[in-house]
Amino acid sequence: MKRYIVKEEDTLHKVAWENNIFVKDILDCNPHLLNSQSYIYPGDEIYLPLIYVGENRVERFGECLKEFSHLDIEHYVYKWNMSRNVIPLETKSIGLSILNKPIRLIKVGDGKKKVFYSGSWHGNEWMTSKLLTEWLDHIITSANNNQDYFGTDLRQLFKEVTLYVVPMVNPDGVALVQQGNYPEHPYYDFINKTNKYTHTFDHWSANIRGVDLNHQWPAGWQKEADESPSEPWPRHYSGKAPLTEPESICIYDLTVKEDFDYVLAFHSQGQEIFWGYRGLEPQESEKMVERLSLKSSYVPKRTADSDGGYKDWFIQETRRPGFTIEVGVGINPLPFRAYGEIWSNNVLLALEGLKL
Ligand SMILES: [Zn+2]
C-alpha cells in the first residue's frame, strides 16, 4: 500500500479515478471509510493499494463516473485556451465566491443576439455544471473539427449569437456537498450549526453562508423571505436582504452589463421548464418554451408560484424571456447514472436555446 494525503475537493471517486483503481480497492485498505459515499477530508492520510487495473479509463460524453467541481471547469478552460478555436471564445472570472473560488464565465461567438446559460445555483445540483461544461466542449470540438452539430452549422450560428455560460454559480456549496465539513474548514462551526450538527450534505443547496442564491433576487423577495427559514439554512434562506452574497452580485452585475436577450438557468429537480413570473413574461415566452420542450421532452410549467429567483427577477426587470430548466428527477444530488438522461435530453435543448 502507499500513503496518500487527501487534497481539497478530493472524493473517493476522484482519487480512485486519478490512481486508476476502484473505490472498493480504497475501502478495502481503509476500514474507517464505510462506503463509496464517505467523505475524505483535506490533510487526511489514507492508503491506496499498489495494484494495476489496466489502461487509463475515459469518461465518455453523457457518462458520469466521478463528481464534477470548479477545478474540472478550469481544466476545460485550459484546454480550450490551448486550442485553435474557429469560433471566437473568451473566458474570464467574473468574481470570487466567499471562499475565493473563481466564478468562471465562458463567452462563445460574436453574434448580436446575447443568450445566457447558468448552472449549479444550488450546491447539490453540480450535475448541471458538468452538463453545461461538457456540452460546451462538445460544440467547441465539433466546430474545430469542421463538423456540423446535429445538422447545425456552428460557425454560422455563432456569427448570429453570443452565448455566455457560467457553469457554476455556487462553487463553495458544490464543494461542501462533495467533500463535507472538517475542522480546518473556515466555516466549520457555522456550517455545523446551520446543518444542525449532521455531517452529511446531500441536501445542501445554499452557498457557504447558508443563503440560497436563487432565493435572494429582488422580485417578490420579501414575500419569499417571509415564507422561508429566517436564518441561515441548508436551503431556501433568502438572506437578510436581496443580493447580499458575492455569487449573486456577480451574476447581477453580468446580467445588467450584458443586457441579455433571454436567459436559461439550469437546476436539477423535475424534468420541467418554468417560463413565467406573475404574468410579467412577454408573449413569445410560451412559443419559446414549447420549442425547448419538444427538444428535451421536459414539461413546460408557467410558474412554480414562488418568488425571489433569478429568472423571476430577469423577467420582472427586462420583460424579456427567462427560463428555469429543471433537468433530471429524483433526490439531489442525483446518482451518477442519472447523468445519461440529463445529457441526452439537454444536448438539443441547449442547441435550440441558441435559436429561439
Ligand atoms: Zn436548484
Side-chain angles (χ1 to χ4, degrees), residues 71-294:
L71 297 175
D72 295 291
I73 298 174
E74 296 306 314
H75 285 147
Y76 276 104
V77 165
Y78 179 78
K79 175 187 159 187
W80 299 330
N81 285 336
M82 285 293 128
S83 54
R84 190 190 294 266
N85 297 308
V86 299
I87 299 171
L89 184 133
E90 280 174 50
T91 67
K92 66 173 179 178
S93 160
I94 55 166
L96 295 173
S97 67
I98 301 267
L99 296 179
N100 290 321
K101 294 184 175 65
I103 297 173
R104 178 63 69 174
L105 168 71
I106 302 117
K107 182 179 162 190
V108 188
D110 53 7
K112 198 161 156 285
K113 182 161 91 177
K114 292 180 164 187
V115 182
F116 178 45
Y117 293 177
S118 54
S120 286
W121 288 82
H122 291 138
N124 54 1
E125 298 179 355
W126 54 262
M127 250 180 218
T128 57
S129 302
K130 181 175 165 72
L131 168 71
L132 290 172
T133 309
E134 293 186 348
W135 179 77
L136 274 176
D137 189 53
H138 214 200
I139 57 171
I140 292 165
T141 308
S142 298
N144 288 348
N145 292 336
N146 268 322
Q147 292 163 337
D148 72 16
Y149 194 69
F150 295 97
T152 293
D153 177 345
L154 292 168
R155 283 199 204 202
Q156 186 55 39
L157 179 64
F158 282 102
K159 282 180 188 156
E160 293 155 21
V161 180
T162 306
L163 172 64
Y164 296 74
V165 183
V166 174
M168 191 175 284
V169 176
N170 182 12
D172 296 346
V174 168
L176 182 65
V177 168
Q178 295 181 353
Q179 199 169 28
N181 193 19
Y182 44 91
E184 294 75 24
H185 194 294
Y187 281 72
Y188 179 70
D189 291 330
F190 173 83
I191 293 166
N192 270 339
K193 185 165 167 269
T194 304
N195 207 28
K196 313 299 177 287
Y197 299 93
T198 178
H199 59 91
T200 62
F201 294 91
D202 289 353
H203 56 290
W204 191 280
S205 302
N207 77 347
I208 211 68
R209 290 204 292 217
V211 178
D212 191 319
L213 300 176
N214 202 39
H215 268 240
Q216 70 147 201
W217 290 79
W221 178 86
Q222 189 64 55
K223 182 170 179 294
E224 192 67 25
D226 289 346
E227 295 166 359
S228 305
S230 56
E231 58 186 281
W233 210 264
R235 59 186 287 219
H236 286 180
Y237 172 55
S238 303
K240 283 199 174 81
L243 298 174
T244 51
E245 302 308 292
E247 298 92 347
S248 341
I249 292 168
C250 73
I251 299 294
Y252 172 88
D253 290 343
L254 177 75
T255 306
V256 169
K257 175 168 169 249
E258 299 296 348
D259 199 24
F260 300 123
D261 289 285
Y262 54 88
V263 300
L264 276 65
F266 287 77
H267 291 256
S268 67
Q269 205 50 258
Q271 301 181 328
E272 294 163 336
I273 310 172
F274 293 101
W275 55 279
Y277 179 62
R278 308 255 168 240
L280 301 174
E281 66 280 2
Q283 239 178 359
E284 67 257 35
S285 294
E286 190 166 8
K287 284 268 173 299
M288 292 163 82
V289 79
E290 280 166 14
R291 290 175 58 186
L292 294 173
S293 171
L294 281 174

